[in-house]
Amino acid sequence: MTQATAQAHPNIALVKYWGKRDTALNLPATGSVSMTLDVFPTTTTVQVDASAAEDEFILNDVLRDGVPAERTRRFLDIVRAMAGTDARARVTSHNTVPSAAGLASSASGFAALAGAAAAAYGLDLDDRQLSRLARRGSGSAARSIFGGFALWHAGDDEESFAEPLAAPADLAMVVTIVDAGEKQVSSREAMRRTALTSPYYPAWVSSTEQSLAAAQEAFRDADVARIGRITETNALRMHAAIQGSDPSIRYLSPTSVAIFDRVEQLRAEGLTVFATADAGPNVVALCLAEEAPAVDAALAAFAETVIAHPGPGLRLVAEGEQ
Ligand code: PMV
C-alpha cells in the first residue's frame, strides 16, 4: 500500500469562472484570476490499496456516499488512467472551511486530492500538470495549486491551467461567514442553468473576457483601485447572470447586500476596499492588508469574519507532520 498526504487552501476569484466550454473536461468559458487564502486548508491522504474492492471517501471523519463519493471516484479514475492501474484507494480528507457554503471548499478539496492522489499513484507531475488535473475535479481547484495570486487560462485541455501572478500590492481579504450552511443549488447545477437559460449569459462571457484583460493590465500596473473595481463589478455581473436563470437562483441574502452597501460606504470614508461573493451569501472584502483590521471591525457587525492574507500553494505533507 502506498500513501501520500497533501494540503491546499481555498481561493477567491477576483475575475470569476462561471460557465463551461466543455463539461467533461471542465474547460471554462473564460479565464479567471484569484487569490489563494492562508485560512481554511484542506488536508487529504490517499492510500492506494490493490486489495480493496471499492474506493472510500471519508470527509471530516464521516464515510461519504452519494455525490461526494461519486465525484471522488471519478477523479481517481482519471488518476488511475494516467498511472495505468485499477487499484482502488481510501481518501481521508479534513476540511476546515464550511463545506459547500460558497467558500470554495471544492477548490482546496480537489487541489489537495490532486496532489495526494498523484503522489500516491506514483505520478511525477509538475505544477502545470497538477493544475490541469485539479481542474478536472473542480474548475476553481486549478488555481489553488498556486499560492498568492493566480491566473487560470481558458483553452483546450492542454492549455487550460493556472499560473502564478505577481502580487500587485500587500492585499488581504476579509471573509464574512453570513451563512455556513449548505447552499440550495450547487455551483455545478447553477452554472449549467445560467448557461442554458439566462439571457445575460452571453453578455457575462463577453464582459468577463474584457474584465480579464483589464485585470491583467491592472496587475501589471499594480493599480489596486482598478483591480478592486473590476473585482466588485465582475462579481455583481456574475450574480446578475445567475439571477437571470429560469428558475431563478439567488445566492446573495439581504445581509450580503447590506455588506456590499457597507463596503461602498467604507470606500466613501477613504478605505481601499471592494466586495465580491462566490456562489453563496458570504461576501469577501478585498482590501489593503494594512486596512484589513478596520474593514474587519466594520464588517463584524454583520457576520462572523475572518481576515485572510495570500496563502501557500499545494504542498505534500511528510508523514508525522501536519
Ligand atoms: O470550481 P467550482 O465548480 O466550485 O466553481 C466555482 C465558481 C465560483 O467560485 C463562483 C467562481 C470562481 O471563479 O471561483
Side-chain angles (χ1 to χ4, degrees):
M1 192 164 76
T2 54
Q3 75 169 58
T5 300
Q7 186 176 71
H9 290 73
N11 68 76
I12 299 290
L14 313 184
V15 176
K16 308 281 189 200
Y17 148 58
W18 194 260
K20 301 178 209 271
R21 201 163 72 92
D22 182 305
T23 319
L25 290 171
N26 251 356
L27 298 174
T30 65
S32 53
V33 171
S34 62
M35 183 179 111
T36 298
L37 311 183
D38 64 346
V39 295
F40 306 140
T42 299
T43 308
T44 298
T45 299
V46 174
Q47 297 169 294
V48 178
D49 183 354
S51 65
E54 304 268 7
D55 293 320
E56 266 183 29
F57 177 43
I58 300 151
L59 174 62
N60 294 343
D61 302 318
V62 179
L63 179 65
R64 306 290 165 149
D65 55 13
V67 173
E70 181 57 23
R71 280 183 79 180
T72 304
R73 189 189 61 72
R74 277 205 311 256
F75 186 81
L76 291 174
D77 283 344
I78 296 168
V79 178
R80 281 189 279 261
M82 291 168 79
T85 172
D86 57 12
R88 306 286 121 178
R90 167 182 294 141
V91 176
T92 312
S93 195
H94 289 277
N95 215 349
T96 53
V97 57
S99 285
L103 276 175
S105 61
S106 67
S108 54
F110 278 102
L113 180 58
Y121 278 95
L123 296 173
D124 185 19
L125 305 184
D126 62 21
D127 281 352
R128 190 169 282 195
Q129 290 167 314
L130 282 167
S131 177
R132 287 177 52 219
L133 175 61
R135 186 198 80 217
R136 301 287 298 273
S138 174
S140 57
R143 300 183 309 238
S144 274
I145 300 301
F146 300 97
F149 295 87
L151 166 69
W152 170 27
H153 300 281
D156 63 17
D157 181 33
E158 292 284 322
E159 292 162 352
S160 186
F161 50 80
E163 59 187 352
L165 266 184
D170 198 1
L171 298 178
M173 285 182 169
V174 177
V175 180
T176 67
I177 305 174
V178 172
D179 184 357
E182 209 149 305
K183 58 193 171 208
Q184 297 300 310
V185 186
S186 71
S187 58
R188 187 162 287 232
E189 161 58 17
M191 261 184 217
R192 198 188 65 86
R193 200 184 298 172
T194 306
L196 285 176
T197 67
S198 177
Y200 310 133
Y201 182 69
W204 156 254
V205 171
S206 57
S207 70
T208 298
E209 277 160 1
Q210 289 163 13
S211 302
L212 185 73
Q216 283 176 264
E217 205 179 275
F219 264 76
R220 279 194 295 271
D221 296 348
D223 185 342
V224 175
R226 186 153 181 237
I227 291 169
R229 217 165 49 242
I230 293 167
T231 299
E232 196 170 291
T233 303
N234 184 256
L236 291 171
R237 285 177 177 166
M238 179 185 81
H239 284 277
I242 293 171
Q243 290 184 31
S245 302
D246 180 16
S248 183
I249 302 161
R250 278 175 299 124
Y251 283 126
L252 300 179
S253 73
T255 305
S256 322
V257 175
I259 296 172
F260 269 84
D261 282 350
R262 185 73 181 102
V263 165
E264 198 176 319
Q265 258 175 24
L266 292 173
R267 268 205 303 277
E269 290 164 16
L271 294 182
T272 302
V273 56
F274 301 87
T276 184
D278 283 344
N282 304 310
V283 179
V284 177
L286 173 71
C287 60
L288 295 176
E290 67 198 41
E291 293 177 354
V295 172
D296 182 61
L299 300 189
F302 297 88
E304 190 189 329
T305 54
V306 177
I307 298 182
H309 294 95
L314 172 70
R315 69 177 183 103
L316 284 174
V317 179
E319 220 168 312
E321 182 208 349
Q322 241 343 299

